[in-house]
Amino acid sequence: MQNPTPPTGGGTAPPRDCHLTQDDFTWLSDFVRKRSAIVLDAGKEYLAETRLSQVVQKEGIESISSLVRSLRKGDSRKLEGAVIEAMTTNETSFFRDLKPFELLRTEVLPALIEARRSTKRLSMWCAAASTGQEPYSVMMLIDQHFPELRDWKVDYLATDLSSDVLAKAESGIYSQFEVNRGLPAPLLVKYFAGQGGRWQVKPELRSRIRFRAMNLIEPWPPMEPLDIVFIRNVLIYFDQPTKSAILGRIRKLLRPDGVLFLGGAESTMGLDDQYIAVRSQGSTYYRIDAGSKK
Ligand SMILES: C[S@@+](CC[C@H](N)C(=O)[O-])C[C@H]1O[C@@H](n2cnc3c(N)ncnc32)[C@H](O)[C@@H]1O
């Protein structure tokens, strides 16, 4: 494919040849889909070129065609990983979309806490956690509004395919711009320490989340039955059979009264009919239909 426009913005000239032939794009789409389930439809050539030119630059490779040639030869796992990571979209923010967090605070957690009073255990999973704003938002909410849970065993696993974003999540370090996106000032003051213009989540909160690399289309490690699953704004990148398969696997892990949160543009409809949508306060979460076979 010929693309006369430089892929980088702001008038910066692309440092190296950044064109992707149609044949290479077709091969790349197939490679990315098999490794991550991310669908690169026709029309996404420009996006692929932009992302690949970042890898080319970082790895000091001559051109996109050389990069694809190496990938096709299959002789570098490291390069393969870098390309897959580059193809992920990691957009996120603190308390993204807000309403699901309101539902968590006012409906979901109060009911689950009541139901688990005898065991004092809660198990949560944030799949596709990206740079960590989502699991930290949940943890801040829990700490602020449910202090009794400090005496409970609350297991919170946060996973993502990309080790780059996970490393950032684990460090808990955010720029001023990132904390300005969705994080109320009182929470910034309470849960973060300022350091040289950046902000780090305090160790006490960080240590309550287990960050792990995990590809949703590969076998999952053994997991305890789950009470709450956040898998938001990732299924949207996958094809229908992959979405159905992942929703089915989550359903098998959810406790009968467990709750699933999806992104605002995502739904179980037409993908898994054993979930029911619970609409409340202008938002939606999902439960397993009690009449379903599981
Ligand atoms: C747009 S972010 C969503 C972040 C957060 N859940 C939110 O809603 O703000 C999508 C994340 O999904 C991850 N992802 C993409 N494909 C994946 C896969 N096959 N397995 C696990 N994570 C994947 C990406 O690395 C990225 O961090």
Side-chain angles (χ1 to χ4, degrees), residues 96-128:
R96 183 176 185 177
D97 302 337
L98 199 61
K99 282 180 178 165
F101 295 91
E102 283 302 303
L103 273 180
L104 186 67
R105 181 176 68 81
T106 58
E107 280 187 37
V108 172
L109 274 169
L112 281 172
I113 289 171
E114 206 42 53
R116 305 284 184 273
R117 252 188 217 296
S118 59
T119 59
K120 293 196 171 198
R121 289 173 80 115
L122 268 183
S123 178
M124 306 189 291
W125 178 28
C126 178

Side-chain angles (χ1 to χ4, degrees), residues 38-151:
I38 295 170
V39 178
L40 282 178
D41 286 325
K44 294 271 176 75
E45 290 88 347
Y46 182 74
L47 175 92
E49 283 175 346
T50 307
R51 303 276 177 91
L52 289 184
S53 41
Q54 290 159 6
V55 180
V56 160
Q57 209 169 355
K58 199 169 156 200
E59 303 291 330
I61 298 167
E62 198 185 310
S63 63
I64 285 189
S65 7
S66 320
L67 169 62
V68 177
R69 215 175 306 124
S70 298
L71 288 175
R72 283 184 172 221
K73 272 198 252 157
D75 55 8
S76 171
R77 298 291 291 174
K78 181 173 166 269
L79 206 55
E80 291 175 8
V83 167
I84 296 301
E85 293 209 7
M87 289 302 160
T88 61
T89 298
N90 309 119
E91 164 64 17
T92 188
S93 55
F94 289 102
F95 296 97
R96 183 176 185 177
D97 302 337
L98 199 61
K99 282 180 178 165
F101 295 91
E102 283 302 303
L103 273 180
L104 186 67
R105 181 176 68 81
T106 58
E107 280 187 37
V108 172
L109 274 169
L112 281 172
I113 289 171
E114 206 42 53
R116 305 284 184 273
R117 252 188 217 296
S118 59
T119 59
K120 293 196 171 198
R121 289 173 80 115
L122 268 183
S123 178
M124 306 189 291
W125 178 28
C126 178
S130 188
T131 40
Q133 285 90 330
E134 186 172 68
Y136 286 129
S137 300
V138 172
M139 257 315 166
M140 286 186 273
L141 181 152
I142 285 181
D143 191 74
Q144 241 210 336
H145 297 283
F146 303 95
E148 71 264 44
L149 292 187
R150 286 182 203 149
D151 299 331

